[in-house]
Amino acid sequence: MGNLYHAPDVVNDVAVNQDFAMLYDSSYCMGCKACQVACKQTNMLPAPMKDEEYEFNLGGYTYPPENSGDNYLRMVFTEVDNPNGPKPFDWIIRRESCNHCTRAGCVEACPTGACHYVGNGSVDIDPHLCIGCKFCSTGCPWSVPKYRERDNINAKCWFCQDRLSQDEEPACVKTCFPDALDWGYRSTMLTKAQKRVEQLKSEGYEDACIYGEHEMEGLHLLQVLKYKPEVYGLNPNPSIPLMKTIGEAMTPVALAGVLGTLAFVSMSYKNNKNYKKPKLHYDPKTDETYTQDGEIWFKDEFKRKHSIEPGDEHKEQKLVEKGSDQTVVKTQDKSDEEVK
Amino acid sequence: MTNQLMDMKHADVILVEGGNPAENHPASFKHISEAKRRGAKLITIDPRFSRTAAMSDMWLAIRPGTDIAMISGFIKYLIDNERYDKEYLAYFTNASFLINKDFDFKDGVYSGLTEIEPTNGNGGRTFKYDKSSWAYELVGDNAESSGDGTAGMSNTITNEQKKPTGNNTLSSGIQIENLNLPAKREFVKDETLEHPRCVFQLLKKHVERFTPEMVEKITGVSQEQFLKAADIVTSTYSADKAGGFMYAMGLCHHTVGAQSIRAACIMQTLLHNIGVPGGGMNAMRGECNVQGATDFALLAGELPGYTKLPNTSRGENSLGEYLSKHTANNGYYMNRPKFIISMLKEWYGEHATLENDFGFDWWPKDDKKDHTHISIFEWMMQGNLEGFFAWGQNPVIGGPNSNFTLKALSKLKWMVNVDLWYTDTATWWKHVPDTPPEEVMTEVFVLPACNHFEKQGSITNTGRSIQWRYKAVDPLSGAHDDGDMLVELWCNLRDLYKAHGGVCPEPLVNLELDKFIDNSGKFSPIKAAWGINGYEVESGRLLQGFGELKDDGSTACGNWIYSGYFCNNDDKWNPAAQPTGSRGTRDIVVPGGDGDGLGIYPDWAFSWPLNRRILYNRASCDPSGKPYNPGRQLVEWDEANQKWIQYDVADFPVNKKPDETWPFMMTDETVARLFSPTMADGPFPEHYEAIECPIPNMASSQHSNPIALVYKGSSKTDAQTVEKYPLISSDFHLVEHWQTGSETRNQPWLAQIMPRFFCEIPTELAEERGIENGDMVEVFNERGSIKMNVVVTKRIKPYVLDGKSYYTVSMPFHWGWSADVIKGDVRNMVTPHYGDGNSSTPEFKTFLCDIRKVGE
Ligand code: SF4
Ligand code: SF4
Ligand code: SF4
């Protein structure tokens, strides 16, 4: 397939990025949670070490009871009676993680530009820019990003950008035994999902559908569902909640409600006020991306290695500059706007 | 497993009964999913709507312990609807064989039931079958006098009705004292399958009671659902379809465990699903190496390679007498003396000579005293054991009746626990009921072992593939390879015996374990592998397979079925150059098929026996050697060249023509047994209820298996028990945890995905008892009481008989007190000491209990 992180299709000698997506097929998912553990492992996320720190969750199977800054992915189990399908009773399983929206509420809500579009379909939170304000969580239709106290940031699934850059699939996809998870071009995944939905319909699952084809202008986590999204507890018409960006007007009541938070946020932002995303430049000779102070900028390190066909420095430079420019511009736009 | 996981994709129907592959064998589900993608139907029979049921097209909610009734129903359905192939049955099975006139079956009991004195002072088996009437009618038999009186003698092996020949010469020409090889039997057959005493008609009569109404009454599965499932399952009888049967502990953990599996074997054989791609009787082995452990005499009463221990109570006092009993009169086991003498030669080396019966006297003997798991603890409780090794096992949580186990352990003088973790079996002395730790006098030694990344060796997977694994890291200081510990133990014992003498030192002193020690004084798995594979005694040349074994002591082989897995003489020290270390990904594509590989990958590791991937593969071709399902044959007769073409390694002698080969060469009859005199509790499987069960047996007036093992030490069952403890308890395993949890409960990532011990109860029971989802409850019976959170669910259905509901309380068993991360009560506090009639496997899955809210 070529590079899983950036797959430059060369059109008229110009590199354009095609989106990648993850396909989760709930009809092949056996709820083994191997993906959940693989996610913890690849991201080195700690779990409680003491018996007292664990609690029972109703239903007995969905663990942990909530996703958190140290848990980006969990499988949710629901028992359903008389769903519209060939089984009179079913135990359904769905994946709960970031959906990687085309129009992402988290990015729109983020005051610092930490939440950003990576450019390959994924949405990531840059931990260096994140100030832990939790606005992304409020801006997300599913409240996906979760606050993490140990390093004061909000965190979520980032589609394993580190692995993608090494030409590996995300860890959860790699580990899935029955191939309920798949990774590839969004267009390919969509076709596959459509085929599966057709097949499920022919098996009697009349309401089988794809969740994520059009939602939020298209999610990059596509889910094949056997029943209507509501049956899985998924909002069929997700939208960015009222408070999408701080700059945008709100109803007076809601505004009053968030004033406190806002005060706190502006304070914490003040502490970070002098932080500016460094201007970056790429040196094709050393094959590195540097900050103004001459330090290697870690975020681009993986892009540097794998995004471009080797030997084509010109194209390489262009792409990276384009990527960083976009990010920088966006960051500054937003922070200016929001601090005002 | 007769087939391989990778071959499962060819199945048209997969029936999972007594198994839960999505949770307990997730790796197998990759292949089940592949089959599903190709359009296979998946049916799950389970008391609980498991994660496998969630993946299935159909779920049959069976009452725990009634699998035989269900499968007998399927068998009746397929016979009634003529979903079988007469020609196949007559050629490949014993369907046409006539059975002795005196054989009888009345009201749940076969002919020959006799009462016996229990072998364990604390109970156990109290009845036994005299099997002389469970015999084939032989040519020359006087039809009036039934059997020849000797038939019942060797009732655990396959050699009923032996007629001695007086021959005492083995194939190599050596003569053995007391040897008397058996004569070949000529069977009386009726190939039309019409004779009332032929196996087919007897089987038909036997399952007659299991009509859809009866199946509904016994199992609780509605007739409509049963018939729908029966239609799908038995549709695989047609030659172009294959049906796989997958099972695990859900069938085994019953007092009728072995017979439940046999029922499925019979069904699969009738449907012609054995020996074909996508079919098979597929036991899913849970431990990564449990297949390997079983191959190396996991069971009490066995030696490596499925060789029975000599039994002195049956007169097997010398090698000659032993071989006379265990050498078959036809089929592949005519070669048994080669395997046995080579094994003795491997154990005792130069000490084993023709004069001393190759050291036969030093082999352990079966004294018929019941040395199976439950019985060990019963002996212990009676004060008959001084010391005990729990090596890589956690019997305090994993065995039944934990309170009893704890008390029994406190009767020991010493015990040794070898494990990766400080398990519950290392810390049991803190938990003995009514005894404070300081009063427990047992001395406990804990030896830390290293894990599989810290040592090398082979493991054998569920499909019999022996794969070599290499050491990745050094063990933590203080932890040792099991092999090192064992060899060191032996060295010390041997030296002590040599220095001080003692009673019967030969078995230890003459054992040649030093050949497994390398120059550094450590155990060498490679040297051990040579011994297992077998070699020529003179030259040390590794053998290429068990075909090279001799019965004159010139070859040595530790486990004949593994022969050929480590056989490259050019690079003896290099596991990667051996069949077991090979990692080729070539697959076999059979001409005439859809061009898709068989999925048997012959170059990936080595599958015993002889790298054969699908057992009994003769059955993929008709009697004349023509493929039944072209494109899916595993062997084929090439008429033009007069030879067999092998896509998989043939499971029969290929030097013979189709009509001369043995269709199922591992039995003396050389055919598959629908009627099997080798089982301890009946030649056909019969439905019995569990020992503790509130529901009467509706198939006969014999409530439970008459020869099940019931130990007195731990349980009282009578009418009162049913009144006091009206609920049925069953168990299941979770994908999140591993067996007794010592590995997974110490790993926070795994602890986090399933931290709490729980039980599942049906909604109806919760309503009746006022229990709410998440409540803390107590499950209890005479044996113990445990606390846990409750999951109220629709995934378990009540069983209703005559308007009265019976409920099942289901629990996983992975929790215990000793782990660093998560802890919970021990589920086996409530399980009883009842064992299966054939294998003594404990009854973990059906017994009585009650439930109440904590604090009520
Ligand atoms: S690893 Fe695959 S099958 Fe298992 S829970 Fe995750 S998505 Fe489902
Ligand atoms: S799902 Fe939420 S967190 Fe993920 S990209 Fe969309 S808005 Fe952002
Ligand atoms: S893509 Fe990576 S970060 Fe996201 S859920 Fe999967 S493993 Fe976790």
Side-chain angles (χ1 to χ4, degrees):
Chain A
M1 171 191 296
N3 193 295
L4 293 170
Y5 177 72
H6 267 183
D9 279 0
V10 181
V11 181
N12 299 333
D13 228 30
V14 181
V16 291
N17 297 325
Q18 194 179 346
D19 280 4
F20 282 97
M22 182 183 288
L23 173 59
Y24 167 72
D25 187 340
S26 75
S27 68
Y28 280 117
C29 169
M30 57 185 181
C32 70
K33 306 183 194 165
C35 48
Q36 241 179 275
V37 179
C39 178
K40 299 277 292 194
Q41 187 186 28
T42 196
N43 293 305
M44 288 311 272
L45 300 171
M49 295 292 287
K50 293 237 165 55
D51 192 53
E52 306 81 71
E53 294 171 68
Y54 288 104
E55 55 185 287
F56 175 75
N57 192 21
L58 278 192
Y61 286 83
T62 310
Y63 283 106
E66 290 291 341
N67 268 339
S68 69
D70 280 327
N71 204 87
Y72 303 164
L73 166 64
R74 62 178 199 146
M75 308 310 290
V76 180
F77 294 75
T78 320
E79 288 176 22
V80 284
D81 255 329
N82 307 314
N84 200 6
K87 284 166 137 180
F89 167 80
D90 210 346
W91 195 19
I92 55 174
I93 303 156
R94 90 176 142 88
R95 181 188 156 102
E96 189 178 290
S97 69
C98 173
N99 287 312
H100 297 271
C101 317
T102 301
R103 184 177 169 221
C106 60
V107 175
E108 294 191 7
C110 179
T112 71
C115 284
H116 63 281
Y117 301 102
V118 176
N120 56 4
S122 319
V123 176
D124 188 13
I125 304 179
D126 183 339
H128 290 79
L129 296 181
C130 178
I131 53 168
C133 69
K134 306 177 192 168
F135 282 8
C136 50
S137 191
T138 326
C140 168
W142 304 271
S143 309
V144 167
K146 294 283 187 284
Y147 180 64
R148 184 159 82 196
E149 208 178 328
R150 64 178 161 92
D151 48 3
N152 183 36
I153 60 162
N154 268 41
K156 67 170 191 69
C157 161
W158 62 318
F159 268 175
C160 289
Q161 300 301 317
D162 52 346
R163 290 179 55 90
L164 296 186
S165 70
Q166 305 289 324
D167 219 0
E168 290 276 358
E169 308 162 307
C172 53
V173 176
K174 181 87 181 174
T175 205
C176 178
F177 269 118
D179 298 330
L181 288 171
D182 202 352
W183 178 262
Y185 291 134
R186 188 168 186 275
S187 50
T188 319
M189 295 298 108
L190 203 53
T191 318
K192 209 175 149 188
Q194 280 155 348
K195 272 206 191 118
R196 180 66 188 147
V197 165
E198 284 314 306
Q199 203 180 344
L200 282 168
K201 283 191 170 151
S202 73
E203 285 171 22
Y205 294 97
E206 288 168 19
D207 296 342
C209 61
I210 306 172
Y211 190 72
E213 185 173 2
H214 305 297
E215 288 77 2
M216 304 313 294
E217 292 168 26
L219 308 180
H220 292 82
L221 169 66
L222 296 167
Q223 307 201 48
V224 170
L225 305 178
K226 290 193 280 186
Y227 310 107
K228 286 195 179 123
E230 297 91 310
V231 180
Y232 290 80
L234 286 168
N235 183 349
N237 301 305
S239 60
I240 299 179
L242 210 49
M243 193 191 87
K244 43 182 183 181
T245 62
I246 308 172
E248 235 168 79
M250 294 176 181
T251 62
V253 181
L255 190 59
V258 295
L259 270 178
T261 326
L262 197 56
F264 168 75
V265 170
S266 24
M267 262 175 69
S268 50
Y269 187 73
K270 228 165 101 191
N271 297 336
N272 293 279
K273 199 166 84 183
N274 296 333
Y275 180 85
K276 278 228 173 88
K277 180 140 187 174
K279 211 168 166 79
L280 304 168
H281 55 94
Y282 174 75
D283 182 350
K285 281 194 206 93
T286 58
D287 200 19
E288 302 282 14
T289 306
Y290 294 97
T291 64
Q292 260 173 336
D293 310 333
E295 283 169 21
I296 296 172
W297 191 50
F298 105 102
K299 275 295 286 187
D300 272 9
E301 201 165 34
F302 46 77
K303 283 188 200 169
R304 148 182 85 71
K305 278 192 188 141
H306 292 277
S307 57
I308 311 295
E309 302 295 326
D312 197 340
E313 279 92 348
H314 171 69
K315 212 187 286 172
E316 205 166 348
Q317 190 176 13
K318 191 168 159 193
L319 189 78
V320 171
E321 277 175 356
K322 187 178 150 210
S324 32
D325 277 345
Q326 273 177 349
T327 322
V328 174
V329 169
K330 211 170 216 167
T331 308
Q332 286 177 339
D333 277 0
K334 190 147 308 155
S335 44
D336 288 342
E337 186 183 308
E338 278 150 14
V339 172
K340 265 182 239 158
Chain B
M1 199 175 231
T2 61
N3 288 39
Q4 299 270 336
L5 290 180
M6 295 82 73
D7 139 90
M8 218 169 270
K9 63 181 178 187
H10 299 303
D12 296 288
V13 176
I14 296 176
L15 176 59
V16 179
E17 178 161 10
N20 185 358
E23 297 194 57
N24 305 329
H25 309 88
S28 75
F29 225 86
K30 185 173 191 72
H31 308 286
I32 299 178
S33 292
E34 181 58 29
K36 272 169 64 88
R37 287 195 164 88
R38 290 161 177 246
K41 285 259 173 295
L42 178 62
I43 299 181
T44 299
I45 303 183
D46 198 311
R48 217 178 117 255
F49 193 100
S50 62
R51 278 178 255 201
T52 308
M55 302 296 296
S56 303
D57 298 288
M58 242 185 125
W59 167 57
L60 305 189
I62 192 175
R63 174 165 66 83
T66 60
D67 303 272
I68 294 181
M70 175 70 79
I71 300 173
S72 299
F74 288 148
I75 295 177
K76 181 178 163 55
Y77 181 92
L78 83 90
I79 293 179
D80 288 352
N81 292 286
E82 296 199 22
R83 293 194 163 182
Y84 56 86
D85 172 358
K86 245 189 190 172
E87 185 200 50
Y88 157 82
L89 287 183
Y91 185 77
F92 285 94
T93 74
N94 66 0
S96 62
F97 289 38
L98 260 49
I99 300 299
N100 191 304
K101 266 192 172 154
D102 294 346
F103 170 72
D104 197 12
F105 173 78
K106 253 195 225 109
D107 197 18
V109 178
Y110 295 92
S111 47
L113 190 64
T114 37
E115 193 161 355
I116 53 162
E117 195 59 36
T119 45
N120 186 309
N122 219 7
R125 178 169 296 147
T126 44
F127 280 92
K128 169 182 171 122
Y129 277 109
D130 165 11
K131 301 199 256 180
S132 48
S133 61
W134 309 1
Y136 298 118
E137 191 163 303
L138 301 183
V139 174
D141 260 3
N142 180 349
E144 300 306 314
S145 80
S146 53
D148 57 6
T150 59
M153 277 178 58
S154 59
N155 52 13
T156 57
I157 48 168
T158 57
N159 303 327
E160 283 71 25
Q161 299 170 299
K162 285 205 157 159
K163 296 244 171 37
T165 54
N167 181 2
N168 70 344
T169 312
L170 292 177
S171 62
S172 59
I174 63 162
Q175 295 184 344
I176 304 265
E177 220 179 311
N178 299 326
L179 179 65
N180 199 342
L181 289 172
K184 199 172 156 182
R185 291 177 293 176
E186 297 289 338
F187 303 100
V188 182
K189 300 182 195 175
D190 171 24
E191 301 209 332
T192 64
L193 310 184
E194 300 295 343
H195 192 289
R197 273 193 293 119
C198 82
V199 167
F200 186 74
Q201 292 299 330
L202 289 175
L203 175 63
K204 189 173 169 183
K205 199 170 121 201
H206 189 79
V207 296
E208 215 151 54
R209 290 162 292 160
F210 297 93
T211 57
E213 300 77 51
M214 184 62 128
V215 172
E216 171 170 343
K217 260 175 91 176
I218 296 177
T219 67
V221 173
S222 74
Q223 293 180 45
E224 183 202 340
Q225 271 217 315
F226 165 77
L227 287 169
K228 203 171 143 200
D231 180 47
I232 299 173
V233 170
T234 60
S235 69
T236 58
Y237 82 104
S238 78
D240 60 348
K241 282 196 170 171
F245 189 98
M246 299 181 76
Y247 71 97
M249 293 303 123
L251 288 194
C252 304
H253 284 167
H254 292 295
T255 47
V256 288
Q259 287 287 22
S260 306
I261 296 160
R262 235 192 87 65
C265 290
I266 293 174
M267 177 179 83
Q268 285 292 74
T269 309
L270 288 167
L271 290 172
H272 191 172
N273 282 335
I274 301 288
V276 298
M281 263 310 283
N282 299 320
M284 293 169 288
R285 319 301 309 255
E287 291 265 0
C288 59
N289 196 23
V290 72
Q291 181 67 53
T294 320
D295 299 339
F296 283 84
L298 171 87
L299 301 176
E302 274 192 8
L303 289 167
Y306 303 96
T307 311
K308 287 265 178 278
L309 273 183
N311 186 333
T312 47
S313 74
R314 276 197 249 114
E316 297 166 12
N317 294 311
S318 65
L319 181 62
E321 286 160 314
Y322 175 60
L323 291 181
S324 312
K325 283 263 167 66
H326 293 263
T327 308
N329 48 35
N330 199 6
Y332 201 73
Y333 272 130
M334 289 200 287
N335 293 308
R336 181 100 75 176
K338 298 175 184 167
F339 313 149
I340 287 173
I341 291 173
S342 298
M343 178 151 47
L344 282 163
K345 202 66 197 164
E346 162 61 16
W347 286 40
Y348 301 118
E350 58 183 21
H351 303 290
T353 61
L354 178 58
E355 289 67 42
N356 67 9
D357 268 359
F358 297 101
F360 175 82
D361 289 348
W362 308 324
W363 254 3
K365 307 286 184 300
D366 187 351
D367 56 4
K368 276 279 133 194
K369 272 202 175 152
D370 192 353
H371 299 289
T372 57
H373 184 103
I374 302 177
S375 189
I376 289 174
F377 289 95
E378 295 275 350
W379 287 119
M380 206 183 278
M381 189 68 135
Q382 293 167 50
N384 290 334
L385 293 184
E386 218 170 82
F388 178 67
F389 279 86
W391 202 306
Q393 229 202 2
N394 191 357
V396 170
I397 306 193
N401 208 345
S402 300
N403 275 326
F404 184 93
T405 306
L406 290 168
K407 284 188 216 151
L409 284 169
S410 68
K411 300 263 158 67
L412 292 169
K413 269 199 185 141
W414 55 267
M415 75 155 282
V416 182
N417 184 212
V418 188
D419 213 301
L420 306 182
W421 304 91
Y422 208 53
T423 67
D424 313 73
T425 299
T427 56
W428 60 270
W429 42 273
K430 295 182 193 164
H431 304 276
V432 184
D434 316 325
T435 316
E438 58 275 19
E439 282 171 30
V440 175
M441 286 302 141
T442 314
E443 193 172 357
V444 181
F445 303 89
V446 179
L447 308 182
C450 57
N451 73 20
H452 51 284
F453 300 117
E454 299 166 341
K455 62 183 180 194
Q456 73 164 332
S458 73
I459 62 130
T460 309
N461 79 2
T462 184
R464 294 167 284 105
S465 291
I466 313 162
Q467 309 186 51
W468 198 267
R469 297 206 288 211
Y470 304 88
K471 178 172 161 176
V473 287
D474 280 330
L476 293 178
S477 116
H480 294 280
D481 187 334
D482 300 277
D484 284 340
M485 288 190 252
L486 209 58
V487 165
E488 196 179 323
L489 186 65
W490 171 76
C491 284
N492 283 317
L493 285 172
R494 177 197 55 183
D495 294 348
L496 284 169
Y497 267 114
K498 276 195 175 157
H500 305 288
V503 184
C504 193
E506 293 88 352
L508 257 171
V509 174
N510 292 346
L511 199 63
E512 288 205 333
L513 284 188
D514 24 6
K515 64 185 166 208
F516 297 158
I517 302 175
D518 63 15
N519 295 338
S520 63
K522 292 273 186 203
F523 168 74
S524 159
I526 293 178
K527 286 183 146 197
W530 298 341
I532 293 166
N533 176 77
Y535 51 90
E536 232 168 39
V537 174
E538 277 294 293
S539 62
R541 183 183 66 86
L542 298 175
L543 303 177
Q544 301 307 299
F546 47 74
E548 288 192 58
L549 291 176
K550 303 242 168 51
D551 51 19
D552 57 3
S554 62
T555 56
C557 176
N559 190 343
W560 70 277
I561 56 176
Y562 277 49
S563 194
Y565 93 114
F566 208 100
C567 66
N568 182 353
N569 285 292
D570 298 334
D571 208 354
K572 271 176 116 173
W573 282 98
N574 180 6
Q578 306 293 343
T580 180
S582 67
R583 292 293 180 268
T585 51
R586 173 179 70 105
D587 198 7
I588 305 287
V589 180
V590 179
D594 51 11
D596 168 50
L598 281 177
I600 60 176
Y601 304 100
D603 303 334
W604 184 277
F606 178 92
S607 251
W608 70 261
L610 298 179
N611 206 21
R612 184 175 294 136
R613 302 288 161 146
I614 298 181
L615 299 181
Y616 316 118
N617 50 33
R618 173 70 183 82
S620 65
C621 288
D622 70 7
S624 71
K626 266 207 247 43
Y628 272 117
N629 183 9
R632 288 271 178 275
Q633 69 272 37
L634 299 163
V635 290
E636 177 176 5
W637 177 250
D638 179 356
E639 191 61 43
N641 297 309
Q642 291 289 300
K643 65 172 181 56
W644 285 97
I645 305 170
Q646 303 180 50
Y647 302 107
D648 189 8
V649 178
D651 200 351
F652 52 90
V654 281
N655 50 7
K656 297 189 185 179
K657 291 191 170 180
D659 49 342
E660 294 161 0
T661 57
W662 300 319
F664 281 78
M665 69 170 177
M666 298 318 276
T667 65
D668 298 21
E669 304 91 314
T670 70
V671 291
R673 293 187 186 124
L674 299 173
F675 175 99
S676 173
T678 59
M679 302 297 283
D681 47 3
F684 294 126
E686 171 62 7
H687 165 72
Y688 300 114
E689 292 294 345
I691 309 267
E692 289 185 9
C693 179
I695 295 134
N697 187 351
M698 286 169 273
S700 74
S701 56
Q702 174 67 34
H703 179 75
S704 54
N705 188 350
I707 68 156
L709 296 114
V710 181
Y711 297 90
K712 289 184 276 189
S714 59
S715 36
K716 288 182 224 136
T717 9
D718 44 35
Q720 277 181 351
T721 324
V722 180
E723 247 163 62
K724 265 166 88 180
Y725 308 110
L727 306 178
I728 302 166
S729 181
S730 193
D731 89 334
F732 58 92
H733 298 189
L734 296 163
V735 66
E736 291 87 350
H737 286 293
W738 176 241
Q739 307 292 51
T740 62
S742 44
E743 278 158 287
T744 49
R745 286 186 291 111
N746 276 306
Q747 214 302 349
W749 284 333
L750 300 175
Q752 190 181 32
I753 55 175
M754 187 55 86
R756 285 284 159 251
F757 181 36
F758 64 93
C759 71
E760 294 187 352
I761 64 168
T763 352
E764 293 82 351
L765 173 65
E767 266 161 34
E768 211 170 89
R769 300 286 184 95
I771 296 174
E772 275 177 39
N773 209 347
D775 279 353
M776 209 48 182
V777 294
E778 191 181 353
V779 172
F780 60 99
N781 58 21
E782 306 263 292
R783 295 173 285 269
S785 154
I786 41 179
K787 291 193 185 75
M788 71 217 87
N789 291 99
V790 69
V791 170
V792 176
T793 176
K794 288 183 178 147
R795 290 181 292 103
I796 313 187
K797 298 225 174 316
Y799 164 83
V800 185
L801 179 70
D802 302 332
K804 184 169 167 23
S805 293
Y806 297 87
Y807 303 108
T808 304
V809 177
S810 238
M811 289 167 270
F813 87 122
H814 312 287
W815 278 265
W817 330 279
S818 70
D820 285 337
V821 186
I822 49 166
K823 304 172 176 59
D825 272 6
V826 177
R827 184 259 174 180
N828 277 323
M829 288 287 177
V830 291
T831 46
H833 268 190
Y834 306 138
D836 170 55
N838 281 279
S839 65
S840 327
T841 300
E843 171 72 87
F844 284 112
K845 295 214 163 39
T846 316
F847 57 89
L848 296 175
C849 69
D850 201 10
I851 194 169
R852 62 178 165 235
K853 260 204 226 177
V854 169
E856 269 182 9

